[in-house]
Amino acid sequence: MSINWQEIIFHFLGGLGLFLYSIKTMGDGLQQAAGDRLRYYIDKYTSNPFLGVLVGIVVTALIQSSTGVTVITVGLVSASLLTLRQAIGIIMGANIGTTVTSFIIGFKLGEYALPLIFLGTMFLFFTKNRTANNIGRILFGVGVSSMPSTSLVLG
């Protein structure tokens, strides 16, 4: 029995590409959706390091990717929506949230990834409302980034 290395490499690169694109799409959607209300909530819930850690844990548990939370956090810092002090708490929480993510994977929440991708795509392609379009970006990004690795088989 021989191993088809080309197929393994192509599947790995394709899955990695989808994952990175979904993180970028989700981050772009969050940045574009950042109005005054989002800025208010970001300031309110990351005002002290303890709250920032809790935010990091919850968001990592929801999107099942500490890397995704870190990428989004860095994007929000570069968009001047977060300060470095706020970002440190969130990233620490994201690392703690990785443990919570393992429990979520045990509950197989990744089974809802395809409906999230579908909803996100519908919002992206069939709405002209900017807010709905940004929500579509977020749903699409969360859906693709939470897909189990076995679903990323491209062939």
Side-chain angles (χ1 to χ4, degrees):
M1 187 171 189
S2 66
I3 298 174
N4 186 347
W5 288 104
Q6 181 182 3
E7 184 178 349
I8 290 171
I9 291 170
F10 284 1
H11 284 210
F12 171 75
L13 293 175
L16 181 62
L18 279 173
F19 177 72
L20 293 174
Y21 178 71
S22 69
I23 288 175
K24 181 183 179 333
T25 302
M26 182 175 39
D28 290 347
L30 285 170
Q31 285 179 358
Q32 291 178 5
D36 292 335
R37 178 178 274 175
L38 181 59
R39 289 177 194 202
Y40 168 76
Y41 286 120
I42 287 173
D43 285 338
K44 180 179 178 183
Y45 292 115
T46 60
S47 59
N48 69 42
F50 179 72
L51 287 175
V53 169
L54 288 178
V55 167
I57 291 170
V58 169
V59 174
T60 301
L62 291 175
I63 70 171
Q64 300 179 12
S65 171
S66 61
T67 304
V69 172
T70 302
V71 168
I72 292 168
T73 303
V74 169
L76 292 173
V77 169
S78 70
S80 299
L81 295 173
L82 283 176
T83 65
L84 182 61
R85 180 174 184 229
Q86 293 169 316
I88 290 171
I90 293 172
I91 291 173
M92 286 176 60
N95 291 325
I96 295 168
T98 302
T99 304
V100 176
T101 300
S102 65
F103 289 117
I104 289 175
I105 290 171
F107 294 125
K108 300 186 184 206
L109 290 180
E111 293 176 0
Y112 300 103
L114 292 176
L116 283 174
I117 293 170
F118 174 77
L119 284 173
T121 305
M122 293 298 107
F123 279 112
L124 276 170
F125 287 114
F126 299 115
T127 61
K128 294 184 181 190
N129 183 326
R130 182 177 165 214
T131 303
N133 196 274
N134 291 332
I135 290 170
R137 290 176 197 267
I138 294 167
L139 289 174
F140 178 82
V142 169
V144 173
S145 65
S146 66
M147 286 181 67
S149 59
T150 55
S151 296
L152 290 176
V153 176
L154 302 174

